[in-house]
Amino acid sequence: MSNFKYEYIIKELSEKISRKEWHVGERIPSIRQLSREFSAAKVTVQTALQKMEASHILYSKARSGYYVEGEYQNNSQTLHYETIRTSIPRPVKVPEIFYDIMAKSAAFDIFPSGEDSTQSSTHLDLLNRHIGRAMRCNSKAKADYYAMPEGSFELRKQLAYIYKQIAIDITPENICLTNGCQNSLYLTLSACCNEGDTVAVESPAFYGVLQILQQLKLNVVEINASATQGISAIDVKAVCDKWQISACVISANFATPTGALMPREEKIAIAELAATHNFTIIEDDIYGDLGFDYRPEPIRSFDRHDNTIICSSFSKSLSRDIRTGWIVCNDKYKEKILRIKLLNQLASPISVHEGIATFLSEGHYKRHLINLRKTLKQQLNSMLDLIHANWQFQYDYRVPNGGLCIWVELSRRIDTLSLYHEAMTQGIVITPGRLFSNSKRFDHHIRLSFAHAYTFKRKDALLTLGKMCKQRSPI
Amino acid sequence: MSNFKYEYIIKELSEKISRKEWHVGERIPSIRQLSREFSAAKVTVQTALQKMEASHILYSKARSGYYVEGEYQNNSQTLHYETIRTSIPRPVKVPEIFYDIMAKSAAFDIFPSGEDSTQSSTHLDLLNRHIGRAMRCNSKAKADYYAMPEGSFELRKQLAYIYKQIAIDITPENICLTNGCQNSLYLTLSACCNEGDTVAVESPAFYGVLQILQQLKLNVVEINASATQGISAIDVKAVCDKWQISACVISANFATPTGALMPREEKIAIAELAATHNFTIIEDDIYGDLGFDYRPEPIRSFDRHDNTIICSSFSKSLSRDIRTGWIVCNDKYKEKILRIKLLNQLASPISVHEGIATFLSEGHYKRHLINLRKTLKQQLNSMLDLIHANWQFQYDYRVPNGGLCIWVELSRRIDTLSLYHEAMTQGIVITPGRLFSNSKRFDHHIRLSFAHAYTFKRKDALLTLGKMCKQRSPI
């Protein structure tokens, strides 16, 4: 384990801090400087710094750099994760009101519905033409017969091809199409777990998973996740040593709500853990295609033991309206997943899936992703500029390298569930932290998204939200 | 209860049989003659005869009329339902092989997929144009936002309007869109029942329901159903008096596999039972629109106490590829159904549902149904002609007045599961009786469908099937 360059960098930097070369609160040299100093790639330096951040040796400030952790004077505060790293297994209790919030928050917009989204998109026009063509072709047969439970072979073939490019060697037979990532997660958890089983999740976790766990009467154990690196294999191991877990739901690439990206080594270590501790990794990879700079590998790419099942969809990268997701099954649960899909919904739409398949095979999805990643990064920057210029109160967040959102910590005095209700009266949607845990530890957090263009109306909403936060913040 | 004209007719006819005016095996006068004799409407006479059939006083022969029950000499035998009218509650055990059969049988064809179904259809071209138009309209907003869990308001409005015409007074708010009837049944059973609860079903039952019961770990109690009239309220009451049931799944209109149509009075009586015995009626009404002569009311039309939830879809009447079903909720379970839909699949496709909505509002569905009913009746007659002319062995069935299939009883020596496997080797799909019960009581039955045109290839397949049956039949 001591062969990695980044570990050498961590050692060197830690020693400088011990020797008080840099004091608490002091800014350390930039990534570029350190990269030169250590003759290391920038990404290696970044890995080192992120690991030191996860260990609370450093903290990062948006667009400013890394600092030695401790008290410091500015308008933000550090992220205080609980010192207890994991919870104990217990049933999930999701309050009724959250179903309403969920339905409104799923679009990642500051508005409840598409008020400000009337423009058309070239890639959608093209996608619609592909689907339209598939609908016209052999329409009687499609109307009269159901697709087999796993869904369109053509689309599964295209997906298998995409996965090959990120070192996942599968055939169309490994894939089961679903009607979205939530559906994929539901079917997979139904297949892998029995009532009363314990499932480990990241904390903060995707609320959709918590709700499935409640419905299926599964217990949850929450594992603290770093806002930049996600959960660590050490913490997962600690949980597995203490309790028998059936599955661990992980979003390794640009997880919601934090946008964290799990380092390669952690992915490898967790894949090994699943084999030694006999649990299934349910990998929610819906944001994997939304890396600004590159497409990181899922955990599955490193899993030599076939314990990882990927759940994903096109809802965040292409369209929510095509309702198309999929499961990359493993051998152990493939048959069970197909059976549960069959009894849950019988079949998938053939025309829509064949249309998507030709859209993919002609390279349109790949081209669309290049634009989308650029757009998302720009939208993130616009949002951050707005916040920096206008929010005059305590808040903190990490800058993600992909995904759709940032995870904003406000003053502990602010109850963001109450803020949610106030904002709704002004037609503004925020996603309160309470949704992302079975506990109340994130009650002063909100998820903010940059999935939509910061038009005048959205800017205005963000400023209004800022004023609400300021009123509730301590002076 | 003695005010009904049909009861008077039953009394009169029963007395004639007691007085030996008509002997066992003898044909009684035609419905037209009896209608004249009793000065009663034909439908009243038919109700009387069907009730006498359910009570095993009479039996009917396809296109021949009603006979006094008993031994008789011809190439068919009577339907021998068990004398025990209901089973005891127990868990469902569906053998693995059935998932494969199910996937092949769902299309109701004698071929595994659309080999013989390449022609186009005007109504499908039109439907596709409507969906295409909806996809083009406001495509960016649709791609960026999810529909609310209940789905497109426009489509729910059209459905509410259709239900008003069959005496079900609901608003769009009562309806939750799903991705098919199987999905509707899954969500509804998940909402109404907890693990270990008992659910009553018709016997023979729709296999999709049995599989959901197994997955949700519910117990099933099977209630014997007449092949013409479905289950009777008296039998349902007997079950409720003995056991606490959470729900009763009933397909009152042209149930699969028998095509039975429950008489109006039985529907009324069962709706009342649900109120007095505190259970939910889950009404699978997917075949309701496929009545040859008229559209019979669902049980819900007679339910004054809001205990009935309707599950349905367009898969049998319009297209399987649009994956569009719905639930007509009751007040008690509406919120729970919406929550489970949300966590099961988040949302429904907006464009597809808006396209269907305009297709409905312009009257195209109504016009299509008129043609479809005519076509189905013709296809049933073609199939019966073929069978009568060519099948030279023991078999029996009832002629339905709607739906997609007939339920054929073969000699008790024939194991139709083994027949299924043999037929598959010749590329022929039958649906074996074993799928329709948790017991083996229907192991000598098959479901045969007239959903598809009896083209030369299908005729050929039906004759080949007949030969296989003949080989296995006693001489």
Side-chain angles (χ1 to χ4, degrees):
Chain A
M1 287 285 277
S2 56
N3 296 330
F4 289 115
K5 180 90 182 208
Y6 76 85
E7 294 193 329
Y8 171 73
I9 300 174
I10 292 175
K11 196 173 137 278
E12 289 293 306
L13 296 182
S14 299
E15 282 174 12
K16 279 177 195 254
I17 293 168
S18 303
R19 289 197 301 268
K20 305 282 180 198
E21 272 188 48
W22 298 323
H23 296 281
V24 165
E26 192 177 327
R27 189 173 178 279
I28 68 164
S30 70
I31 291 175
R32 189 188 301 180
Q33 287 170 307
L34 292 172
S35 153
R36 234 169 346 206
E37 186 179 326
F38 288 105
S39 308
K42 277 187 201 163
V43 68
T44 309
V45 174
Q46 197 154 28
T47 303
L49 298 182
Q50 285 174 347
K51 283 194 171 287
M52 291 176 77
E53 183 180 13
S55 311
H56 296 275
I57 304 169
L58 300 176
Y59 64 89
S60 66
K61 280 168 70 181
R63 298 162 161 227
S64 164
Y66 281 85
Y67 293 75
V68 180
E69 179 148 345
E71 281 189 69
Y72 56 105
Q73 302 303 317
N74 78 342
N75 69 353
S76 66
Q77 42 171 214
T78 48
L79 288 171
H80 287 290
Y81 284 115
E82 320 284 313
T83 43
I84 303 157
R85 306 282 306 162
T86 69
S87 70
I88 60 163
R90 54 180 176 150
V92 181
K93 183 80 197 79
V94 177
E96 299 286 304
I97 176 77
F98 289 4
Y99 289 93
D100 181 51
I101 303 178
M102 252 188 80
K104 291 195 174 65
S105 294
F108 284 82
D109 193 10
I110 200 159
F111 294 128
S113 61
E115 272 95 344
D116 206 20
S117 178
T118 47
Q119 75 272 40
S120 76
S121 286
T122 319
H123 75 280
L124 290 175
D125 294 344
L126 201 53
L127 175 63
N128 286 340
R129 278 208 291 279
H130 278 262
I131 294 173
R133 198 187 303 149
M135 287 197 310
R136 287 190 299 276
C137 168
N138 221 0
S139 63
K140 177 94 168 70
K142 285 170 184 161
D144 283 356
Y145 298 87
Y146 294 101
M148 289 304 281
E150 55 270 39
S152 154
F153 178 81
E154 289 306 317
L155 180 52
R156 290 182 291 121
K157 199 174 99 181
Q158 291 303 320
L159 288 170
Y161 177 71
I162 288 176
Y163 278 111
K164 277 219 176 67
Q165 294 160 345
I166 45 172
I168 298 177
D169 189 22
I170 49 168
T171 65
E173 283 68 34
N174 296 100
I175 298 173
C176 171
L177 301 179
T178 68
N179 74 349
C181 192
Q182 181 75 23
N183 193 230
S184 301
L185 289 164
Y186 184 91
L187 300 175
T188 304
L189 280 161
S190 296
C192 299
C193 306
N194 292 307
E195 184 169 328
D197 282 4
T198 296
V199 173
V201 302
E202 302 155 296
S203 185
F206 169 48
Y207 47 75
V209 168
L210 294 176
Q211 301 193 9
I212 295 169
L213 299 184
Q214 179 180 28
Q215 174 65 20
L216 299 179
K217 297 193 174 116
L218 302 169
N219 293 315
V220 67
V221 52
E222 297 185 47
I223 301 174
N224 284 17
S226 140
T228 52
Q229 313 214 346
I231 50 173
S232 76
I234 292 171
D235 290 336
V236 177
K237 184 171 184 307
V239 164
C240 295
D241 286 342
K242 255 191 268 185
W243 298 290
Q244 174 64 45
I245 64 165
S246 303
C248 182
V249 185
I250 311 179
S251 203
N253 300 327
F254 317 116
T256 185
T258 61
L261 173 62
M262 192 178 282
R264 206 170 185 275
E265 302 76 35
E266 293 293 324
K267 288 175 180 169
I268 295 169
I270 284 176
E272 290 301 314
L273 268 181
T276 54
H277 287 70
N278 196 27
F279 62 89
T280 302
I281 297 169
I282 300 177
E283 182 172 23
D284 176 353
D285 195 43
I286 191 169
Y287 305 104
D289 275 347
L290 304 185
F292 299 153
D293 305 320
Y294 70 108
R295 201 309 179 195
E297 292 102 337
I299 296 173
R300 170 113 181 188
S301 306
F302 309 107
D303 182 357
R304 301 172 303 152
H305 313 285
D306 198 29
N307 291 307
T308 308
I309 297 173
I310 294 178
C311 294
S312 194
S313 95
F314 287 122
S315 295
K316 311 301 185 201
S317 57
L318 189 55
S319 162
R320 286 154 178 80
D321 199 27
I322 54 176
R323 309 302 311 125
T324 297
W326 59 88
I327 301 168
V328 180
C329 304
N330 64 355
D331 281 350
K332 186 172 176 187
Y333 288 111
K334 186 189 154 189
E335 287 308 316
K336 201 160 176 202
I337 287 170
L338 287 178
R339 285 209 302 275
I340 295 175
K341 183 190 165 184
L342 190 69
L343 65 87
N344 179 257
Q345 61 197 265
L346 211 50
S348 296
I350 310 170
S351 298
V352 172
H353 289 176
E354 288 186 353
I356 299 170
T358 56
F359 182 84
L360 292 176
S361 72
E362 293 181 12
H364 303 303
Y365 179 63
K366 210 173 162 183
R367 279 189 286 278
H368 161 65
L369 275 186
I370 293 169
N371 292 329
L372 178 63
R373 287 166 179 157
K374 213 181 293 172
T375 306
L376 286 174
K377 195 171 182 174
Q378 284 164 356
Q379 286 172 183
L380 168 62
N381 288 337
S382 307
M383 185 176 78
L384 294 183
D385 286 346
L386 271 169
I387 289 178
H388 294 164
N390 294 285
W391 281 17
Q392 305 292 334
F393 51 89
Q394 283 192 343
Y395 65 89
D396 197 20
Y397 64 90
R398 296 291 175 272
V399 183
N401 289 313
L404 295 178
C405 53
I406 61 170
W407 182 228
V408 184
E409 182 176 15
L410 303 173
S411 157
R412 282 186 176 265
R413 294 205 207 158
I414 299 183
D415 170 17
T416 55
L417 191 53
S418 133
L419 182 67
Y420 165 84
H421 289 294
E422 191 191 330
M424 275 304 290
T425 63
Q426 310 253 353
I428 294 171
V429 179
I430 57 165
T431 316
R434 186 76 173 77
L435 256 73
F436 298 91
S437 172
N438 200 26
S439 76
K440 297 185 171 192
R441 55 195 295 241
F442 301 118
D443 278 11
H444 59 302
H445 288 71
I446 55 172
R447 182 182 76 179
L448 268 189
S449 169
F450 49 88
H452 302 272
Y454 270 85
T455 54
F456 181 78
K457 277 180 78 181
R458 276 198 194 86
K459 281 181 192 167
D460 205 45
L462 204 57
L463 302 193
T464 306
L465 180 63
K467 281 177 202 149
M468 287 179 200
C469 292
K470 190 173 164 63
Q471 279 169 3
R472 289 161 181 254
S473 293
I475 302 154
Chain B
M1 289 285 278
S2 56
N3 296 329
F4 289 114
K5 179 90 182 211
Y6 76 85
E7 293 194 329
Y8 171 74
I9 300 174
I10 292 175
K11 197 172 139 279
E12 289 293 307
L13 295 182
S14 299
E15 283 175 11
K16 280 178 194 252
I17 293 169
S18 303
R19 290 197 301 269
K20 306 279 180 202
E21 275 190 42
W22 299 323
H23 296 281
V24 166
E26 189 175 329
R27 188 173 179 281
I28 68 166
S30 70
I31 291 176
R32 189 188 302 180
Q33 286 171 306
L34 292 172
S35 154
R36 233 170 347 208
E37 188 177 322
F38 287 106
S39 307
K42 277 186 200 163
V43 67
T44 308
V45 174
Q46 196 152 29
T47 303
L49 297 181
Q50 286 174 346
K51 283 192 172 288
M52 291 176 79
E53 183 179 14
S55 311
H56 297 273
I57 303 169
L58 299 177
Y59 63 90
S60 66
K61 279 169 69 180
R63 298 164 161 225
S64 165
Y66 282 85
Y67 293 74
V68 179
E69 180 149 344
E71 283 188 66
Y72 56 105
Q73 302 304 317
N74 77 343
N75 67 353
S76 66
Q77 43 171 213
T78 47
L79 289 171
H80 286 290
Y81 285 115
E82 319 285 311
T83 43
I84 303 158
R85 305 283 305 161
T86 70
S87 70
I88 60 162
R90 53 180 178 151
V92 180
K93 183 80 197 77
V94 177
E96 300 285 304
I97 176 78
F98 289 4
Y99 289 93
D100 181 51
I101 302 177
M102 251 188 80
K104 292 197 174 64
S105 295
F108 285 83
D109 193 10
I110 200 159
F111 294 129
S113 59
E115 272 97 344
D116 207 20
S117 179
T118 47
Q119 74 273 39
S120 77
S121 285
T122 320
H123 74 280
L124 290 174
D125 295 344
L126 201 53
L127 175 63
N128 286 341
R129 278 207 291 280
H130 278 262
I131 294 173
R133 198 187 302 151
M135 288 198 308
R136 287 189 300 277
C137 169
N138 220 1
S139 64
K140 177 94 169 71
K142 283 170 184 162
D144 283 356
Y145 298 87
Y146 293 101
M148 290 303 282
E150 55 270 40
S152 155
F153 178 81
E154 288 306 317
L155 180 51
R156 290 182 290 122
K157 198 175 101 181
Q158 291 302 320
L159 288 170
Y161 177 70
I162 288 175
Y163 279 111
K164 277 220 176 66
Q165 295 161 344
I166 46 173
I168 298 178
D169 189 21
I170 49 168
T171 65
E173 283 68 33
N174 296 99
I175 299 173
C176 172
L177 301 179
T178 69
N179 73 350
C181 192
Q182 181 75 21
N183 192 228
S184 301
L185 289 164
Y186 185 92
L187 300 177
T188 304
L189 280 161
S190 295
C192 300
C193 306
N194 291 306
E195 184 171 327
D197 281 4
T198 296
V199 173
V201 301
E202 300 153 298
S203 185
F206 169 47
Y207 46 76
V209 168
L210 294 176
Q211 302 194 6
I212 295 171
L213 299 184
Q214 180 180 27
Q215 173 65 19
L216 300 179
K217 297 190 173 118
L218 302 170
N219 293 314
V220 68
V221 53
E222 297 185 47
I223 301 174
N224 284 18
S226 139
T228 51
Q229 314 214 344
I231 51 174
S232 76
I234 292 170
D235 290 335
V236 177
K237 185 169 183 309
V239 164
C240 295
D241 285 341
K242 254 192 267 182
W243 299 291
Q244 174 64 45
I245 64 165
S246 302
C248 182
V249 186
I250 311 178
S251 204
N253 300 327
F254 316 118
T256 184
T258 59
L261 174 61
M262 192 177 282
R264 205 170 187 275
E265 302 76 36
E266 292 294 324
K267 290 176 180 170
I268 295 169
I270 285 176
E272 290 301 315
L273 268 182
T276 53
H277 288 68
N278 196 27
F279 63 89
T280 302
I281 297 169
I282 300 177
E283 182 170 25
D284 177 354
D285 195 43
I286 191 168
Y287 305 103
D289 275 347
L290 305 184
F292 299 152
D293 305 319
Y294 70 109
R295 201 309 178 194
E297 291 102 338
I299 296 172
R300 169 113 181 188
S301 307
F302 308 107
D303 181 357
R304 301 173 302 151
H305 313 285
D306 197 30
N307 290 307
T308 308
I309 296 173
I310 293 179
C311 294
S312 193
S313 95
F314 287 121
S315 294
K316 311 303 184 200
S317 56
L318 188 55
S319 163
R320 285 154 178 81
D321 199 27
I322 54 175
R323 309 303 311 126
T324 298
W326 59 88
I327 301 168
V328 180
C329 304
N330 65 355
D331 282 347
K332 187 173 176 186
Y333 288 111
K334 185 189 156 190
E335 288 308 316
K336 202 160 176 202
I337 287 170
L338 286 178
R339 285 207 302 275
I340 295 175
K341 182 189 167 186
L342 191 69
L343 64 89
N344 180 255
Q345 61 196 267
L346 211 50
S348 295
I350 310 170
S351 299
V352 172
H353 289 177
E354 287 185 353
I356 299 170
T358 56
F359 182 85
L360 292 176
S361 71
E362 292 181 12
H364 302 303
Y365 180 62
K366 208 172 165 184
R367 278 189 287 278
H368 161 64
L369 275 185
I370 293 168
N371 291 329
L372 178 64
R373 288 166 178 158
K374 214 182 292 172
T375 305
L376 287 174
K377 194 170 183 175
Q378 282 164 358
Q379 287 173 181
L380 167 63
N381 288 338
S382 307
M383 184 177 80
L384 294 183
D385 285 347
L386 271 168
I387 289 178
H388 294 167
N390 293 284
W391 281 17
Q392 305 292 335
F393 50 89
Q394 282 193 343
Y395 64 91
D396 197 21
Y397 63 90
R398 295 292 175 269
V399 183
N401 289 314
L404 296 178
C405 54
I406 62 170
W407 182 229
V408 184
E409 181 175 17
L410 303 173
S411 155
R412 283 186 176 264
R413 294 205 207 160
I414 298 183
D415 170 17
T416 55
L417 190 54
S418 132
L419 182 66
Y420 165 84
H421 290 294
E422 191 192 333
M424 274 305 290
T425 65
Q426 311 252 354
I428 294 171
V429 180
I430 58 164
T431 315
R434 186 76 173 78
L435 256 73
F436 299 91
S437 171
N438 200 27
S439 76
K440 299 184 171 194
R441 56 196 293 242
F442 301 118
D443 278 12
H444 59 301
H445 288 71
I446 55 172
R447 182 182 75 178
L448 268 190
S449 171
F450 48 87
H452 302 272
Y454 269 85
T455 54
F456 180 77
K457 278 180 75 180
R458 276 200 194 84
K459 279 180 193 165
D460 205 44
L462 202 60
L463 300 194
T464 306
L465 180 64
K467 281 177 202 148
M468 288 179 200
C469 292
K470 190 173 163 65
Q471 278 169 3
R472 289 160 181 255
S473 294
I475 302 151

